[in-house]
């Protein structure tokens, strides 16, 4: 049996028309909110996103994590499908563990303006290193 070598060719990037519908939704994904149905009632929302992926900005290796997002809404509540699509938009981004969790916090606060939010990224071990990054934000008390 003989084997022949073929020069690798550059893989063409997909045009927007060639993207699958899920890829288009992820590419267009943004955090969408709607009015809090219980303004004035303090309650907590816990969201777990067990399939977070991004790429190491140094090696290009994939990183996997579970994202835990806990927040107390104020005027707005985040729509769950939009957060799923938003989180999936990280899958091809070259971003550190620390920056990814901080960016998620910044984007969530900008979209939902919660009273409080805590985001924890529990990254799968890679190279015998396990990383957990946790960030929090609390809206300033206007009565002070």
């Amino acid at each position: 049996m003989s084997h022949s070598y073929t020069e690798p060719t550059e893989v063409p990037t997909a045009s927007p028309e060639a993207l699958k519908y899920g890829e288009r939704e992820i590419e267009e994904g943004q955090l969408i909110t709607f009015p809090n149905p219980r303004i004035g009632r303090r309650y907590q929302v816990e969201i777990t996103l067990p399939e977070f992926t991004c790429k190491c900005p140094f090696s290009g290796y994939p990183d996997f994590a579970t994202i835990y997002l806990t927040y107390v809404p104020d005027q707005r509540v985040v729509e769950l499908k939009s957060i799923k699509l938003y989180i999936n938009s990280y899958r091809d981004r070259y971003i550190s563990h620390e920056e990814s969790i901080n960016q998620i916090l910044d984007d969530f606060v900008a979209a939902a303006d919660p009273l409080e939010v805590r985001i924890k990224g529990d990254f799968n071990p890679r190279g015998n290193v396990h990383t957990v990054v946790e960030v929090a934000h609390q809206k300033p008390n206007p009565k002070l």
Side-chain angles (χ1 to χ4, degrees):
M1 174 183 274
S2 67
H3 297 287
S4 62
Y5 175 77
T6 306
E7 264 313 300
T9 57
E10 189 172 317
V11 177
T13 57
S15 67
E17 300 82 34
L19 294 175
K20 309 265 189 257
Y21 77 89
E23 292 170 320
R24 283 192 306 275
E25 286 182 338
I26 290 168
E27 192 174 84
E28 298 163 3
Q30 59 182 339
L31 292 172
I32 297 169
T33 62
F34 59 92
N36 181 353
R38 292 295 183 139
I39 292 174
R41 174 175 287 170
R42 189 173 178 83
Y43 64 96
Q44 186 169 288
V45 178
E46 295 180 10
I47 301 169
T48 302
L49 302 148
E51 298 177 346
F52 177 83
T53 63
C54 63
K55 292 182 180 179
C56 174
F58 305 104
S59 69
Y61 292 150
D63 287 314
F64 304 92
T66 298
I67 306 295
Y68 300 94
L69 190 153
T70 304
Y71 75 106
V72 177
D74 189 8
Q75 302 293 310
R76 312 287 303 164
V77 177
V78 72
E79 195 269 327
L80 294 177
K81 182 178 179 183
S82 76
I83 197 159
K84 172 188 76 170
L85 295 171
Y86 167 80
I87 288 297
N88 285 342
S89 75
Y90 279 82
R91 72 178 180 196
D92 291 324
R93 289 179 64 181
Y94 295 92
I95 189 168
S96 69
H97 299 171
E98 298 81 2
E99 179 58 17
S100 63
I101 303 307
N102 276 284
Q103 186 62 58
I104 292 167
L105 176 75
D106 291 346
D107 293 345
F108 190 87
V109 168
D113 194 25
L115 294 173
E116 297 174 21
V117 59
R118 178 172 302 281
I119 300 175
K120 178 171 127 180
D122 186 353
F123 288 83
N124 292 2
R126 183 158 56 84
N128 199 33
V129 177
H130 175 222
T131 308
V132 176
V133 178
E134 191 167 341
V135 293
H137 168 82
Q138 186 168 356
K139 193 181 243 188
N141 188 342
K143 297 176 185 173
L144 295 179

